[in-house]
Amino acid sequence: MLHLRVIASPEQSANVIDLLAAEPGVTHLVVLPGVARQPPGDLIQFDVVRESADRVLQELQRMGVDDTGGIAADDVELTVSAAADRAAERAPGSGADAVVWDEIAAKTGEQTELSGTYLVLIVVATMIAGIGVLLDQPILIVGAMVVGPEFGPLAALCVALLRRRLDVIGRSVLALTVGFMAAMAVTVLSTWALTAAGLVSREMLLAERPLTDFIWRPDALSWVVGLLAGVAGMLSLTSKKSGSLVGVLISVTTVPAAANVAVAAAYGVWDEAGGSALQLLINLCAIVLAGLLTLVVQQVWWWGLARRSRRPATG
């Protein structure tokens, strides 16, 4: 359930109240006339079940409430109310599967910023994965996957492609490109530094690495894993499951491959660097494709559900 606060101009307020009063998924409706000062207007507060939230937000924006007033939404962690239970029963679909598109767009849009924190995290993750590659240590690979922050821009890219937001697409691609290029460049330098210190060597890269050699040998399963990661990532985002845990799954297909590109390039092992680069490209494309298709299926499903719920009863 979401709690919404709406500031509506006096000219819009009556229409907004009528809309909310007629919506089965809305409850706990409170109207405070004339209390808003900036912008001026009536303050309208209400709770709405997630199944109905997207439709309500679309109608409010269609009425122009966001232009003359404002709309803010918060998650409600606990609701003890028979009225809320009735609203959930009347609304079509399941709250666990409901998608609030404005919420998803806002959440992912914030993750496209090419910030210092993002760059540090992706650099550190790639450096850790680079050491894990040389030592053939899956534990270090998993550690790098936990640190990797690339799930945010990838998710934002999928949502932006669906909503045709060219500005967000550009920021997402920029964050991914600059992030991975910077991470690989720093990992090359760190590999040279560790080699000069006698901590690692080219022979470690060329030795048998049965636990991590999948990173630079792309095959059909690489595409399958990328697709599955994309589906899991999008579902975690839209259903509000643990995105951080699914982000680990996303990273297993990206950060280690980028690290292997850097380490192999540092030692001049170009066939392995090329294989890792292809692995990275395949996985990124598969994640974005699967994520976009998942969002399309969810959108079509909810459109159909909304149409069925508006059909008049017969018989």
Side-chain angles (χ1 to χ4, degrees):
M1 179 166 281
L2 294 178
H3 178 70
L4 270 72
R5 299 182 305 281
V6 175
I7 295 178
S9 66
E11 296 77 18
Q12 295 173 323
S13 184
N15 291 332
V16 171
I17 294 170
D18 289 343
L19 165 70
L20 299 176
E23 173 56 53
V26 169
T27 187
H28 305 153
L29 178 60
V30 177
V31 180
L32 301 173
V35 301
R37 292 292 179 266
Q38 182 59 35
D42 299 342
L43 175 62
I44 303 171
Q45 302 186 76
F46 60 95
D47 293 334
V48 58
V49 296
R50 295 188 64 84
E51 303 93 297
S52 302
D54 191 63
R55 180 168 63 251
V56 170
L57 286 168
Q58 287 182 358
E59 287 299 317
L60 290 174
Q61 292 174 74
R62 185 186 60 79
M63 295 169 65
V65 173
D66 54 326
D67 294 325
T68 59
I71 306 169
D74 295 307
D75 276 312
V76 178
E77 297 295 336
L78 174 64
T79 301
V80 182
S81 166
D85 293 339
R86 288 192 296 269
E89 292 173 359
R90 291 192 298 262
S94 168
D97 297 328
V99 181
V100 184
W101 293 104
D102 286 314
E103 178 187 46
I104 300 302
K107 184 186 302 182
T108 56
E110 295 172 354
Q111 300 177 23
T112 61
E113 183 180 356
L114 190 60
S115 64
T117 299
Y118 169 80
L119 287 175
V120 169
L121 286 175
I122 197 168
V123 166
V124 168
T126 308
M127 290 174 65
I128 293 173
I131 297 173
V133 163
L134 290 171
L135 297 178
D136 196 33
Q137 283 292 336
I139 293 177
L140 293 179
I141 299 296
V142 172
M145 288 150 47
V146 173
V147 176
E150 74 281 8
F151 174 58
L154 283 169
L157 179 58
C158 295
V159 175
L161 287 170
L162 179 69
R163 295 170 69 93
R164 297 184 292 277
R165 290 288 305 276
L166 296 180
D167 55 334
V168 180
I169 292 173
R171 292 201 305 270
S172 302
V173 172
L174 180 65
L176 289 168
T177 303
V178 173
F180 277 116
M181 293 300 294
M184 288 188 285
V186 173
T187 302
V188 168
L189 296 176
S190 68
T191 301
W192 287 342
L194 293 173
T195 302
L199 298 177
V200 297
S201 66
R202 190 172 188 271
E203 287 68 30
M204 297 172 68
L205 180 69
L206 298 177
E208 289 293 325
R209 292 178 287 132
L211 299 180
T212 57
D213 64 355
F214 71 93
I215 294 171
W216 63 278
R217 292 177 176 170
D219 54 21
L221 286 178
S222 302
W223 182 254
V224 172
V225 171
L227 290 173
L228 295 176
V231 172
M234 281 303 103
L235 288 178
S236 76
L237 181 68
T238 58
S239 63
K240 300 183 71 64
K241 301 299 181 185
S242 180
S244 59
L245 292 178
V246 178
V248 175
L249 175 60
I250 298 294
S251 292
V252 73
T253 61
T254 54
V255 167
N260 208 72
V261 172
V263 172
Y267 289 130
V269 184
W270 299 113
D271 60 332
E272 187 165 333
S276 300
L278 181 58
Q279 178 84 279
L280 177 62
L281 180 62
I282 289 173
N283 290 331
L284 288 174
C285 292
I287 290 169
V288 172
L289 176 61
L292 179 59
L293 290 176
T294 301
L295 291 174
V296 169
V297 169
Q298 288 182 294
Q299 187 176 66
V300 171
W301 166 262
W302 278 100
W303 279 349
L305 193 63
R307 284 197 298 268
R308 290 195 299 270
S309 68
R310 288 194 292 266
R311 290 175 181 170
T314 59

